[in-house]
Amino acid sequence: MGIPVAIPAKTDAGRAEIETRAQRLPTALRSLLLLVDGQRGAVELDAIARRLHAPADALAQLAALGLVTASDVAASHSAEDAGAISEPRSDADAQRHLILYALMTDATRAHLGLVGGYLTQLKLERADDAAALEALLPTLQAALTKARDAAVAAEIIAGIRAAADTGAGAA
């Protein structure tokens, strides 16, 4: 029998808020909502919230708004499992994730539209770290090329890579 660990996840309302920004959340709360993925524990998210200068009760506020919910997952007593659940990601990775997610979401919304960008947006939502988002840059570039043209797509992707400091090479 393990110790229950709260793992916050976005609700349907939380995913809708990411898309529509209808509730006009403060930047720190929105950034935290972006990072809620059903895999990071509440301890890790609270640590990230502090670095984002979010209120101490940021997760509770998101839950009160119906944007996140927490499920209890039984954690094993092994030190290896506990470390995997509660080890916070680096500040640099969290920042790169936020930057990549914001820029890639904005490019999707601006250039692919609601219908055309739906599948791309779903992939972005499922990416749980900066490396996963980086891996989606070629997919986004292909979608942008199809919707606009190769030069525009390459310029957008180069700007995203530069802002997130992920390397200048575009696929």
Side-chain angles (χ1 to χ4, degrees), residues 5-93:
V5 177
I7 306 291
K10 285 184 199 84
T11 62
D12 289 339
R15 285 185 286 283
E17 175 59 24
I18 294 299
E19 184 66 30
T20 65
R21 300 176 186 230
Q23 296 191 34
R24 303 200 189 286
L25 294 174
T27 303
L29 283 180
R30 178 171 169 72
S31 295
L32 186 61
L33 179 60
L34 290 170
L35 291 170
V36 172
D37 60 6
Q39 295 181 20
R40 290 181 177 94
V43 172
E44 181 180 357
L45 289 167
D46 283 338
I48 292 169
R50 282 191 300 278
R51 291 191 300 270
L52 295 171
H53 305 291
D57 65 342
L59 278 175
Q61 287 184 35
L62 293 173
L65 292 169
L67 304 176
V68 300
T69 186
S71 62
D72 288 337
V73 176
S76 136
H77 283 291
S78 84
E80 183 179 314
D81 287 345
I85 290 172
S86 63
E87 183 178 314
R89 294 167 196 223
S90 72
D91 285 340
D93 184 61

